[in-house]
Every structure is written in structure tokens, then in C-alpha cells.
């Protein structure tokens, strides 16, 4: 039963991240769900929620560790470099909300 709750929570978190957080490239907004990054981000950030250690610094560190392939895989950039500041703030807010609800 706990696994189902964890799975449901992860899916819900990934969905909310995917619909709320986007990559900004030349003023084009590519939401993480469309970029197929929402699940990876949720899985990487979920341990912060379960350990009640969500804070901006830790979130930004994790975002910096997630590589995003660009140019057909010729280059990789850290996800943090592609997210506008407002999306970073929104992401921390989402994580804090989930942490409070646990």
C-alpha cells in the first residue's frame, strides 16, 4: 500500500512540475512535461520531500546535476541553466507544498 501511495505521489508531483515549470529558450517556453523531463525531476527531488529537507539551495543543486541534451545530443547543459528564475521559485513552492502535505 505504501508503494502505491509513493507511486501516486510521485506521479502527482511529476504532473504538477510538468505543467508548471518550463525551459526558456529564446523566449519560447517548453514545459518540462513536453520536454519529457518532469518525471526525472520529480524522482530526483522526491527524497528532499520525504526527508523534509526542501530548501532553495538543495533544489538548485539537484537541478544543476540534471543534464539536458541539446542539439541532437551534441551538447549537454545543466537543467538549472535553462530554467528562468520564476520557474525555480515555482518549483520550490511546489515542493514545499508537497512537503507540508506529507
Amino acid at each position: 500500500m505504501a508503494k502505491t501511495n509513493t507511486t501516486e505521489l510521485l506521479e502527482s508531483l511529476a504532473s504538477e512540475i510538468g505543467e508548471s515549470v518550463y525551459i526558456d529558450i529564446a523566449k519560447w517556453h517548453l514545459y518540462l512535461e513536453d520536454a519529457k523531463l518532469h518525471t526525472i525531476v520529480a524522482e530526483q527531488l522526491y527524497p528532499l520531500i520525504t526527508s523534509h529537507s526542501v530548501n532553495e539551495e538543495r533544489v538548485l543543486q539537484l537541478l544543476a546535476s540534471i543534464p539536458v541534451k541539446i542539439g541532437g545530443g551534441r551538447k549537454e547543459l545543466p537543467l538549472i541553466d535553462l530554467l528562468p528564475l520564476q520557474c525555480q521559485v515555482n518549483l520550490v513552492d511546489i515542493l514545499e507544498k508537497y512537503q507540508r502535505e506529507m
Side-chain angles (χ1 to χ4, degrees):
M1 187 71 173
K3 184 173 174 75
T4 301
N5 290 337
T6 300
T7 302
E8 289 172 1
L9 185 66
L10 256 172
E11 287 174 359
S12 174
L13 177 62
S15 178
E16 190 163 347
I17 289 171
E19 294 171 357
S20 304
V21 179
Y22 58 83
I23 294 170
D24 187 329
I25 301 175
K27 298 188 182 189
W28 285 71
H29 296 172
L30 177 61
Y31 283 84
L32 294 190
E33 182 175 36
D34 297 326
K36 308 293 188 240
L37 293 169
H38 61 300
T39 302
I40 294 165
V41 172
E43 289 170 348
Q44 293 289 318
L45 296 172
Y46 183 74
L48 294 180
I49 294 170
T50 58
S51 65
H52 293 282
S53 58
V54 172
N55 66 51
E56 185 177 3
E57 183 179 337
R58 294 184 110 185
V59 172
L60 297 181
Q61 286 173 345
L62 279 169
L63 291 174
S65 73
I66 299 173
V68 178
K69 293 182 190 248
I70 60 170
R74 288 184 291 174
K75 289 194 179 232
E76 282 186 0
L77 291 174
L79 181 56
I80 189 71
D81 290 347
L82 301 170
L83 297 178
L85 183 57
Q86 187 57 50
C87 284
Q88 295 170 29
V89 171
N90 289 349
L91 180 58
V92 172
D93 290 345
I94 290 167
L95 296 171
E96 288 174 342
K97 179 184 86 169
Y98 275 80
Q99 183 174 262
R100 281 191 306 272
E101 293 174 357
M102 282 194 82

